[in-house]
Amino acid sequence: MESNRSKYILIGLTAVCILLIGITSFKDGFLEPLRTSMGYFLIPVQSGVNRAGTSLYNSMRSYTTFKSALDENNQLKAQIDALTEENTRLRSGQFELERLRDLYQLDQDYQQYEKIGARVIAKDSGDWFQVFRVNKGSADGVRVDANVIAGGGLVGIVTDVGANYATVRSIIDDVSRVSGMAPQSGDTCIVAGDLTLFSEGRLRITGIRKDGDIKDGDQIVTSNISSKFLPGLLIGYATDVTTDNTRLTKSGYLVPVAQFSSLQEVLIITQIKDDQFTGGEPAEGAGS
């Protein structure tokens, strides 16, 4: 009985194979309805799968591109920050070099005087360096009444000295008075400090003889008769010189050569005017 069952299964399979061979032998037109029916079902499914796959691929690609761009942007920002810092450092070094060159040139212009360099470490409130402090003092040979120069000419005078600091009052301060002269003629004048007037970049010069030869554009330097300032230090240039109402004197304005808005380094002349009368030692009371 078992053998009969196997025989029937073999006959059935044979028949199915013969049927399939027959079906595939027919023309394509016989299978067209079946293909069409399957197409209605499979094409939408395939399209949906394709769209989902494409969208997923594009999303992954966009994310990869975005992440790459973000990383590159962060790298560029880091490079820009580094270059900006380096550029700032180089510019700062360049400005300092230019200032030191100016001080060196000033040192060469006044070789007859002994000098030391000092850095400004503090100043009074306000826009200008009318009173400021430097990092050199008595331990470095600085004394009261020492003249201070920078920016091509006279800045001021030392009024107070500690072991490691000194206080400087500049020529633009309201209480400052400097005896000046025009080197080409020898005529004298008084350069008066005035913070209000200096907001226009000028100081007042007075006391010029009515027939004195001081005219616009003339250099004004410290005079030989000054009691505190060494002679020959450039102060600035005369401008707008006119005869006073009294007709006895003339007055005008002076444009200082030093920059009192951005002082950073100065030169302090260690010699003082009293040395010329005391053989190189400070006169009595000069440091009080």
Side-chain angles (χ1 to χ4, degrees), residues 119-131:
R119 186 177 296 274
V120 177
I121 56 175
K123 78 178 188 70
D124 281 359
S125 60
D127 296 332
W128 318 112
F129 284 75
Q130 69 267 24
V131 177

Side-chain angles (χ1 to χ4, degrees), residues 88-166:
T88 301
R89 186 170 58 253
L90 290 174
R91 287 175 63 85
S92 177
Q94 180 183 359
F95 294 150
E96 183 175 7
L97 179 60
E98 291 175 355
R99 294 196 307 271
L100 293 178
R101 283 176 175 171
D102 291 340
L103 285 180
Y104 175 77
Q105 183 59 51
L106 192 61
D107 180 52
Q108 297 300 302
D109 292 341
Y110 298 104
Q111 293 186 29
Q112 69 272 33
Y113 298 128
E114 296 180 0
K115 300 171 287 292
I116 61 170
R119 186 177 296 274
V120 177
I121 56 175
K123 78 178 188 70
D124 281 359
S125 60
D127 296 332
W128 318 112
F129 284 75
Q130 69 267 24
V131 177
F132 59 91
R133 181 166 289 181
V134 297
N135 65 343
K136 295 295 175 65
S138 59
D140 306 288
V142 178
R143 292 177 283 168
V144 170
D145 291 340
N147 295 186
V148 180
I149 57 178
L154 182 65
V155 168
I157 194 167
V158 173
T159 59
D160 177 58
V161 176
N164 300 301
Y165 75 88

Side-chain angles (χ1 to χ4, degrees), residues 80-94:
I80 290 174
D81 291 341
L83 290 174
T84 300
E85 181 180 356
E86 182 179 1
N87 183 60
T88 301
R89 186 170 58 253
L90 290 174
R91 287 175 63 85
S92 177
Q94 180 183 359

